[in-house]
Amino acid sequence: MSFAEKVVLIIGASSGIGASTAIEYTKEGAKVAIVGRKEDKLQIVATECKENGQDPLVIKADISIDDDVTRIVQETISKYGKIDILVNNAGIGRFASILKGNLMNAFDEIINTNLRGIMKVTTLVAPHIIKTKGNIVNISSVAGQAVPKNPLMTSYAISKAGLDIFTKAAAVELAPHGVRVNAISPGPVYTDILKNAGLKPDEATIKSFDQIKTALNRVSTPEEVANMIMYLSGDKCIGVTGSNFVLDNGALLT
Protein backbone atom coordinates (compact mmCIF):
# COMPACT_ATOMS: atom_id res chain seq x y z
CA MET A 1 0.00 0.00 0.00
CA SER A 2 1.13 3.56 -0.62
CA PHE A 3 1.14 6.45 1.83
CA ALA A 4 2.73 8.93 -0.55
CA GLU A 5 2.20 12.53 0.61
CA LYS A 6 0.55 11.38 3.84
CA VAL A 7 1.81 12.98 7.05
CA VAL A 8 2.10 10.60 9.98
CA LEU A 9 2.70 11.79 13.55
CA ILE A 10 4.14 8.97 15.65
CA ILE A 11 4.23 9.40 19.42
CA GLY A 12 6.76 7.16 21.15
CA ALA A 13 8.97 6.57 18.13
CA SER A 14 12.44 6.33 19.63
CA SER A 15 12.49 2.53 19.76
CA GLY A 16 10.44 -0.64 19.47
CA ILE A 17 7.04 -0.46 17.82
CA GLY A 18 7.14 3.28 17.21
CA ALA A 19 10.56 3.18 15.57
CA SER A 20 9.59 0.31 13.29
CA THR A 21 6.35 2.07 12.41
CA ALA A 22 8.19 5.21 11.33
CA ILE A 23 10.59 3.22 9.18
CA GLU A 24 7.82 1.17 7.55
CA TYR A 25 5.73 4.25 6.74
CA THR A 26 8.69 5.93 5.03
CA LYS A 27 9.16 2.85 2.87
CA GLU A 28 5.69 3.61 1.52
CA GLY A 29 6.40 7.28 0.86
CA ALA A 30 4.93 8.87 3.99
CA LYS A 31 6.29 11.97 5.65
CA VAL A 32 6.76 11.30 9.35
CA ALA A 33 7.19 13.27 12.54
CA ILE A 34 8.81 11.12 15.22
CA VAL A 35 8.42 11.97 18.90
CA GLY A 36 10.26 10.59 21.90
CA ARG A 37 12.10 11.49 25.07
CA LYS A 38 15.54 10.29 23.98
CA GLU A 39 17.01 12.30 21.13
CA ASP A 40 19.95 9.96 20.55
CA LYS A 41 17.58 7.09 19.84
CA LEU A 42 15.35 9.32 17.68
CA GLN A 43 18.35 10.21 15.54
CA ILE A 44 19.06 6.53 14.94
CA VAL A 45 15.49 6.07 13.73
CA ALA A 46 15.77 9.21 11.60
CA THR A 47 18.85 7.81 9.88
CA GLU A 48 16.96 4.67 8.89
CA CYS A 49 14.05 6.75 7.62
CA LYS A 50 16.43 8.79 5.49
CA GLU A 51 17.64 5.58 3.86
CA ASN A 52 14.07 5.22 2.60
CA GLY A 53 14.16 8.67 1.02
CA GLN A 54 12.31 10.58 3.75
CA ASP A 55 13.90 13.05 6.17
CA PRO A 56 11.66 12.94 9.25
CA LEU A 57 10.85 15.73 11.65
CA VAL A 58 12.50 14.81 14.95
CA ILE A 59 10.81 16.13 18.09
CA LYS A 60 12.28 15.48 21.53
CA ALA A 61 9.33 15.75 23.90
CA ASP A 62 7.53 14.18 26.84
CA ILE A 63 3.76 13.86 26.39
CA SER A 64 3.21 13.89 30.16
CA ILE A 65 4.08 17.62 29.93
CA ASP A 66 1.26 19.70 28.44
CA ASP A 67 3.57 22.34 26.95
CA ASP A 68 5.51 19.62 25.15
CA VAL A 69 2.31 18.27 23.60
CA THR A 70 1.41 21.74 22.34
CA ARG A 71 4.88 22.07 20.83
CA ILE A 72 4.65 18.65 19.14
CA VAL A 73 1.53 19.65 17.25
CA GLN A 74 2.79 23.14 16.42
CA GLU A 75 6.09 21.87 15.03
CA THR A 76 4.40 19.17 12.95
CA ILE A 77 1.92 21.59 11.40
CA SER A 78 4.65 24.19 10.85
CA LYS A 79 6.76 21.61 9.00
CA TYR A 80 4.13 19.73 6.99
CA GLY A 81 0.97 21.86 7.11
CA LYS A 82 -1.28 18.92 7.97
CA ILE A 83 -1.62 15.64 9.84
CA ASP A 84 -3.22 12.63 8.15
CA ILE A 85 -2.49 9.86 10.65
CA LEU A 86 -1.78 9.91 14.38
CA VAL A 87 -0.13 6.87 15.96
CA ASN A 88 -0.33 7.03 19.75
CA ASN A 89 2.35 4.55 20.73
CA ALA A 90 3.90 6.17 23.82
CA GLY A 91 3.84 3.91 26.83
CA ILE A 92 5.85 3.16 29.95
CA GLY A 93 5.79 0.44 32.57
CA ARG A 94 6.63 0.62 36.25
CA PHE A 95 6.58 -2.27 38.70
CA ALA A 96 4.60 -1.49 41.85
CA SER A 97 1.86 -2.96 44.00
CA ILE A 98 -0.43 -2.28 46.94
CA LEU A 99 1.66 -4.23 49.43
CA LYS A 100 4.98 -2.79 48.25
CA GLY A 101 3.59 0.64 49.15
CA ASN A 102 4.60 2.27 45.86
CA LEU A 103 1.42 1.75 43.87
CA MET A 104 0.21 5.34 43.71
CA ASN A 105 3.52 6.86 42.63
CA ALA A 106 3.79 4.35 39.81
CA PHE A 107 0.13 4.81 38.89
CA ASP A 108 0.45 8.59 38.56
CA GLU A 109 3.56 8.32 36.39
CA ILE A 110 2.08 5.65 34.11
CA ILE A 111 -1.31 7.32 33.70
CA ASN A 112 0.28 10.67 32.86
CA THR A 113 1.97 9.09 29.85
CA ASN A 114 -0.05 6.05 28.83
CA LEU A 115 -3.49 7.62 29.12
CA ARG A 116 -3.61 11.31 29.99
CA GLY A 117 -0.74 12.16 27.66
CA ILE A 118 -2.36 10.31 24.77
CA MET A 119 -5.70 11.97 25.48
CA LYS A 120 -3.99 15.38 25.40
CA VAL A 121 -2.23 14.62 22.10
CA THR A 122 -5.47 13.39 20.55
CA THR A 123 -7.35 16.48 21.72
CA LEU A 124 -4.87 18.85 20.08
CA VAL A 125 -4.45 16.81 16.90
CA ALA A 126 -8.17 16.16 16.32
CA PRO A 127 -8.94 19.47 14.54
CA HIS A 128 -6.12 18.78 12.06
CA ILE A 129 -7.17 15.15 11.54
CA ILE A 130 -10.72 16.32 10.83
CA LYS A 131 -9.43 18.58 8.06
CA THR A 132 -7.72 15.67 6.30
CA LYS A 133 -10.43 13.08 7.12
CA GLY A 134 -7.58 11.06 8.55
CA ASN A 135 -7.43 8.48 11.30
CA ILE A 136 -5.91 7.58 14.64
CA VAL A 137 -4.36 4.32 15.82
CA ASN A 138 -3.78 3.81 19.54
CA ILE A 139 -1.36 1.15 20.74
CA SER A 140 -2.93 -0.57 23.71
CA SER A 141 -2.11 -4.00 25.15
CA VAL A 142 -3.76 -7.30 26.01
CA ALA A 143 -2.81 -6.34 29.57
CA GLY A 144 -5.87 -4.09 29.49
CA GLN A 145 -8.19 -7.04 28.83
CA ALA A 146 -7.32 -9.38 31.69
CA VAL A 147 -6.54 -9.20 35.38
CA PRO A 148 -2.73 -9.16 35.55
CA LYS A 149 -1.21 -12.37 36.88
CA ASN A 150 1.56 -10.26 38.36
CA PRO A 151 0.23 -7.55 40.73
CA LEU A 152 3.27 -5.43 39.89
CA MET A 153 1.64 -4.82 36.49
CA THR A 154 -1.61 -3.43 37.93
CA SER A 155 -1.05 0.24 37.03
CA TYR A 156 0.04 -0.60 33.50
CA ALA A 157 -3.02 -2.80 32.96
CA ILE A 158 -5.34 -0.06 34.23
CA SER A 159 -3.79 2.48 31.87
CA LYS A 160 -4.38 0.22 28.88
CA ALA A 161 -7.94 -0.61 29.90
CA GLY A 162 -8.58 3.13 30.07
CA LEU A 163 -7.02 3.60 26.64
CA ASP A 164 -9.38 0.97 25.21
CA ILE A 165 -12.40 2.94 26.45
CA PHE A 166 -10.93 6.22 25.23
CA THR A 167 -10.44 4.69 21.77
CA LYS A 168 -14.13 3.82 21.52
CA ALA A 169 -15.26 7.17 22.93
CA ALA A 170 -13.04 9.07 20.48
CA ALA A 171 -14.31 6.91 17.62
CA VAL A 172 -17.91 7.83 18.48
CA GLU A 173 -17.16 11.54 18.80
CA LEU A 174 -15.05 11.86 15.65
CA ALA A 175 -17.03 9.55 13.36
CA PRO A 176 -19.45 12.31 12.23
CA HIS A 177 -16.38 14.19 10.97
CA GLY A 178 -15.18 11.26 8.88
CA VAL A 179 -12.34 10.33 11.25
CA ARG A 180 -11.64 6.73 12.22
CA VAL A 181 -10.13 5.74 15.58
CA ASN A 182 -8.92 2.22 16.32
CA ALA A 183 -6.62 0.39 18.70
CA ILE A 184 -4.18 -2.49 18.49
CA SER A 185 -3.54 -4.66 21.54
CA PRO A 186 -0.26 -6.51 21.22
CA GLY A 187 0.80 -9.30 23.50
CA PRO A 188 4.53 -9.79 24.08
CA VAL A 189 6.67 -7.89 21.58
CA TYR A 190 10.44 -7.68 21.53
CA THR A 191 10.97 -4.10 22.75
CA ASP A 192 12.92 -2.44 25.54
CA ILE A 193 9.89 -1.67 27.75
CA LEU A 194 10.93 -4.16 30.47
CA LYS A 195 14.44 -2.72 30.56
CA ASN A 196 13.11 0.83 30.66
CA ALA A 197 10.77 -0.11 33.51
CA GLY A 198 13.79 -0.87 35.69
CA LEU A 199 12.82 -4.48 36.28
CA LYS A 200 14.84 -6.09 39.06
CA PRO A 201 15.46 -9.86 39.18
CA ASP A 202 13.43 -10.34 42.37
CA GLU A 203 10.45 -8.21 41.34
CA ALA A 204 8.61 -10.33 38.81
CA THR A 205 8.09 -13.85 37.59
CA ILE A 206 8.53 -12.59 34.01
CA LYS A 207 12.10 -11.48 33.43
CA SER A 208 12.05 -11.58 29.63
CA PHE A 209 9.46 -11.74 26.86
CA ASP A 210 10.51 -15.29 26.00
CA GLN A 211 9.07 -16.45 29.33
CA ILE A 212 5.55 -15.31 28.42
CA LYS A 213 3.39 -18.23 27.33
CA THR A 214 1.41 -17.84 24.11
CA ALA A 215 -0.72 -20.31 22.16
CA LEU A 216 1.57 -19.99 19.16
CA ASN A 217 4.69 -20.27 21.33
CA ARG A 218 6.26 -17.15 19.86
CA VAL A 219 6.81 -13.45 20.52
CA SER A 220 6.05 -10.77 17.93
CA THR A 221 8.54 -8.38 16.38
CA PRO A 222 7.87 -4.62 16.31
CA GLU A 223 7.58 -4.85 12.52
CA GLU A 224 4.52 -7.11 12.85
CA VAL A 225 2.71 -4.45 14.87
CA ALA A 226 3.86 -1.74 12.46
CA ASN A 227 2.32 -3.68 9.58
CA MET A 228 -0.99 -3.89 11.43
CA ILE A 229 -0.87 -0.14 12.15
CA MET A 230 -0.36 0.60 8.48
CA TYR A 231 -3.15 -1.73 7.45
CA LEU A 232 -5.61 -0.12 9.89
CA SER A 233 -4.66 3.39 8.81
CA GLY A 234 -4.92 2.60 5.11
CA ASP A 235 -7.81 2.79 2.66
CA LYS A 236 -8.50 -0.94 2.87
CA CYS A 237 -9.92 -0.36 6.37
CA ILE A 238 -12.10 2.59 5.46
CA GLY A 239 -15.11 1.05 7.22
CA VAL A 240 -13.35 0.15 10.46
CA THR A 241 -13.60 2.38 13.54
CA GLY A 242 -13.90 1.85 17.28
CA SER A 243 -12.27 -1.56 17.00
CA ASN A 244 -9.48 -3.12 19.02
CA PHE A 245 -7.35 -5.62 17.12
CA VAL A 246 -5.57 -8.23 19.24
CA LEU A 247 -2.12 -9.23 18.01
CA ASP A 248 -0.89 -11.48 20.82
CA ASN A 249 0.03 -14.86 19.33
CA GLY A 250 -2.84 -16.26 21.39
CA ALA A 251 -1.54 -15.01 24.76
CA LEU A 252 -5.10 -14.34 25.96
CA LEU A 253 -6.01 -17.95 25.15
CA THR A 254 -3.51 -19.46 27.55
Side-chain angles (χ1 to χ4, degrees), residues 37-224:
R37 293 182 296 177
K38 298 181 178 180
E39 189 165 8
D40 56 338
K41 288 188 174 182
L42 286 172
Q43 292 299 339
I44 293 172
V45 179
T47 297
E48 294 195 52
C49 290
K50 290 175 184 177
E51 292 176 358
N52 296 327
Q54 298 291 338
D55 189 0
L57 173 62
V58 176
I59 306 174
K60 180 180 181 297
D62 183 342
I63 66 166
S64 70
I65 301 171
D66 283 356
D67 287 346
D68 276 17
V69 176
T70 299
R71 179 170 55 82
I72 289 166
V73 179
Q74 289 176 340
E75 290 187 16
T76 303
I77 294 300
S78 177
K79 171 76 172 179
Y80 296 121
K82 66 171 184 171
I83 300 173
D84 294 286
I85 299 165
L86 169 63
V87 179
N88 281 316
N89 174 66
I92 60 172
R94 296 290 182 267
F95 294 94
S97 69
I98 297 169
L99 296 182
K100 285 178 69 69
N102 58 353
L103 179 64
M104 295 315 300
N105 287 341
F107 177 80
D108 288 343
E109 185 180 1
I110 288 171
I111 288 295
N112 282 340
T113 294
N114 295 12
L115 186 54
R116 187 188 185 281
I118 286 175
M119 292 172 68
K120 179 70 174 180
V121 171
T122 302
T123 299
L124 295 188
V125 169
H128 302 286
I129 290 279
I130 288 172
K131 290 179 181 178
T132 59
K133 295 292 189 290
N135 66 88
I136 300 168
V137 181
N138 296 325
I139 307 306
S140 186
S141 169
V142 292
Q145 299 185 34
V147 177
K149 295 182 177 68
N150 186 335
L152 295 173
M153 294 290 291
T154 296
S155 294
Y156 180 81
I158 291 171
S159 74
K160 294 302 185 178
L163 182 58
D164 292 346
I165 293 297
F166 177 65
T167 298
K168 293 181 181 294
V172 170
E173 183 173 356
L174 298 179
H177 302 281
V179 173
R180 300 186 296 110
V181 186
N182 292 290
I184 296 173
S185 287
V189 180
Y190 287 118
T191 70
D192 55 5
I193 190 170
L194 291 180
K195 178 181 177 181
N196 291 341
L199 179 64
K200 297 177 182 178
D202 62 341
E203 283 190 325
T205 56
I206 299 299
K207 300 177 178 62
S208 74
F209 289 114
D210 291 314
Q211 291 180 284
I212 300 175
K213 185 178 180 181
T214 69
L216 294 177
N217 194 32
R218 68 183 300 276
V219 173
S220 290
T221 65
E223 290 76 16
E224 292 173 44

